[in-house]
Amino acid sequence: MLYKRGTVWWYEFVIRGQRIRESTYSRSRSLARRAMDQRRRALEEGANGITRRPAPLLFSAAAREHLALKRLKWKPSTQRIEAKNVEHLIRGFARRLLFDITAGDVSKYQRQRRRDGASCGTINLEIATLRAILRRHRLWAALQPDIEALPRRDDVGKTLTLAEEARLLSACRASHSRLLYPAVVVTLNTGLRRGELLSLRWSQVDLAGLCLTVGASKSLAGRGRVIPLNATATAVLGAWASSFPERRPEHAVFPTERVGASGDSFSVYITGTDPNTPVRSLRAAWTSAKKVAMVSARWHDLRHTVCTRLLEAGLSLPLVGRILGWSPSTMVLMSHRYGHVDVLTQREAMSRLDRLAVPTTATTVLG
């Protein structure tokens, strides 16, 4: 039933004993009639368990919608990774409708990306983004049994030799970025992840107490852990702190800086520093330093070097894991990756049984 209140049309009807009385906010009787019919139909379909199939959606549109919805929840680094993943996925599925994507299409995409030279780890990250997009539209469950992650190498990693480290540090010290040298030295003496390092604030560094507290971290086990500072890390952080006499606890340890150059010698100088904003990346300076030092290594290899050296010094894997902030699942993986390094520690542990057991000789055993 339609009726008027003032100049606005209202409708009223009963469905399953429930009286529905709502305004159409319209002065048009014909529009009010359509609004009432649409409202009644929606309620009747819901009461009978009838759901409308969503309109077909192109993958490219769904992917961009995924980025827009998640942007506020992601850290800037995650936003960049996800945007890159979507960029590659759109090339493979741009004009496909979401419900037309099959497990065969995903497998074909994986093979093509391998031919393009992408690593298995990178492809797995892209498929994880694809999974999130399809799961949001309730389409992933049907594909999941037939899709497998590509095998990743668990032996990737390089330990720097002392000679390589010396060349690399020399090149970092001469870099146009004055942040690079202290950042590399601190990493080589704490094992911090790159994100943990670059997000450091001075409130997290206790030079008097010879320790630093990790803030945001990749793993729950890594967040909030306290890392003791050795003499090298303390000296470098102390010298670096003296470069910022007006620093505050909330300021970034490695702030964003703008640099310029002048003169025939192309002398570099600092044109501005934003102490509240951590530097986003040291990639350009790092790449240049590696080239000068003739060292082939990733930034993560600095952390790999720390791990290997700690194990070679006799520390157990669990202790190294606590220092580096490994999650329980990562601990299992690392026990396989670094098992050959930890063998000396294991041998020492087993030798302790000799000192604790009743003396026994081969003659006694053989009778």
Side-chain angles (χ1 to χ4, degrees):
M1 177 183 71
L2 285 173
Y3 62 95
K4 238 181 180 183
R5 281 187 177 179
T7 59
V8 175
W9 286 96
W10 286 61
Y11 56 75
E12 180 179 344
F13 57 86
V14 177
I15 181 170
R16 287 197 171 186
Q18 177 68 43
R19 186 174 299 277
I20 308 297
R21 184 185 295 116
E22 296 173 346
S23 171
T24 66
Y25 304 101
S26 175
R27 298 181 180 185
S28 169
R29 180 183 176 87
S30 59
L31 189 150
R33 170 68 64 182
R34 292 198 301 272
M36 181 180 70
D37 293 342
Q38 184 174 343
R39 175 66 165 150
R40 185 197 295 270
R41 182 178 180 82
L43 290 173
E44 290 174 347
E45 288 179 346
N48 290 280
I50 300 173
T51 58
R52 294 186 178 183
R53 186 174 182 178
L57 187 64
L58 285 173
F59 175 81
S60 55
R64 294 188 180 97
E65 186 179 79
H66 168 73
L67 290 178
L69 288 173
K70 296 289 187 178
R71 192 175 302 278
L72 293 178
K73 299 181 180 179
W74 288 334
K75 296 186 296 184
S77 58
T78 304
Q79 292 180 24
R80 291 193 295 272
I81 293 171
E82 289 290 330
K84 196 66 177 178
N85 291 345
V86 164
E87 179 183 330
H88 287 293
L89 288 167
I90 285 179
R91 292 174 187 170
F93 302 103
R95 298 193 175 279
R96 301 296 298 275
L97 293 173
L98 277 183
F99 54 73
D100 282 342
I101 296 175
T102 67
D105 295 327
V106 178
S107 179
K108 180 180 178 181
Y109 174 84
Q110 290 173 313
R111 292 194 300 272
Q112 181 59 52
R113 291 291 287 133
R114 285 297 288 154
R115 287 194 291 270
D116 293 342
S119 69
C120 292
T122 297
I123 299 171
N124 288 342
L125 286 176
E126 293 167 4
I127 298 303
T129 300
L130 174 66
R131 178 178 66 235
I133 295 170
L134 294 180
R135 181 179 288 169
R136 180 171 178 270
H137 294 272
R138 309 296 186 268
L139 296 171
W140 176 255
L143 305 182
Q144 184 175 7
D146 300 316
I147 298 175
E148 295 184 1
L150 298 181
R152 296 181 59 181
R153 291 179 58 188
D154 61 0
D155 60 343
V156 176
K158 172 179 179 176
T159 301
L160 296 177
T161 66
L162 293 178
E164 287 176 327
E165 180 183 346
R167 296 201 307 271
L168 187 58
L169 290 178
S170 177
C172 290
R173 192 180 290 109
S175 172
H176 290 165
S177 171
R178 64 171 183 164
L179 283 72
L180 186 60
Y181 178 74
V184 170
V185 172
V186 171
T187 302
L188 280 170
N189 287 275
T190 60
L192 286 172
R193 298 180 176 93
R194 178 166 47 189
E196 297 170 347
L197 175 83
L198 298 185
S199 64
L200 278 178
R201 303 283 177 169
W202 284 113
S203 59
Q204 297 169 243
V205 180
D206 183 359
L207 293 175
L210 302 180
C211 64
L212 65 79
T213 303
V214 177
S217 179
K218 176 182 178 181
S219 68
L220 182 62
R223 194 175 308 132
R225 72 186 189 278
V226 177
I227 301 179
L229 296 175
N230 61 15
T232 302
T234 302
V236 168
L237 281 171
W240 181 241
S242 66
S243 301
F244 306 96
E246 299 181 1
R247 68 185 183 281
R248 298 177 181 176
E250 67 272 16
H251 286 174
V253 174
F254 299 100
T256 298
E257 291 189 333
R258 295 185 298 275
V259 297
S262 63
D264 295 335
S265 60
F266 203 68
S267 300
V268 176
Y269 59 93
I270 307 298
T271 62
T273 299
D274 181 0
N276 295 305
T277 306
V279 66
R280 289 180 56 183
S281 174
L282 294 171
R283 178 176 296 178
W286 170 246
T287 301
S288 178
K290 289 190 298 179
K291 184 176 181 180
V292 171
M294 294 184 292
V295 172
S296 176
R298 305 166 303 162
W299 188 279
H300 191 73
D301 289 331
L302 303 178
R303 180 173 160 88
H304 181 81
T305 298
V306 173
C307 179
T308 302
R309 289 178 179 176
L310 290 177
L311 291 173
E312 289 177 342
L315 275 70
S316 64
L317 267 172
L319 178 54
V320 173
R322 286 200 298 273
I323 293 173
L324 298 182
W326 290 343
S327 65
S329 59
T330 301
M331 184 71 73
V332 175
L333 173 64
M334 295 307 174
S335 66
H336 293 287
R337 180 177 295 180
Y338 294 105
H340 66 289
V341 181
D342 196 39
V343 68
L344 294 178
T345 306
Q346 297 174 36
R347 191 181 302 279
E348 170 61 23
M350 297 307 294
S351 69
R352 293 182 183 181
L353 294 176
D354 290 333
R355 298 193 291 271
L356 298 173
V358 175
T360 304
T361 64
T363 303
T364 304
V365 174
L366 297 176

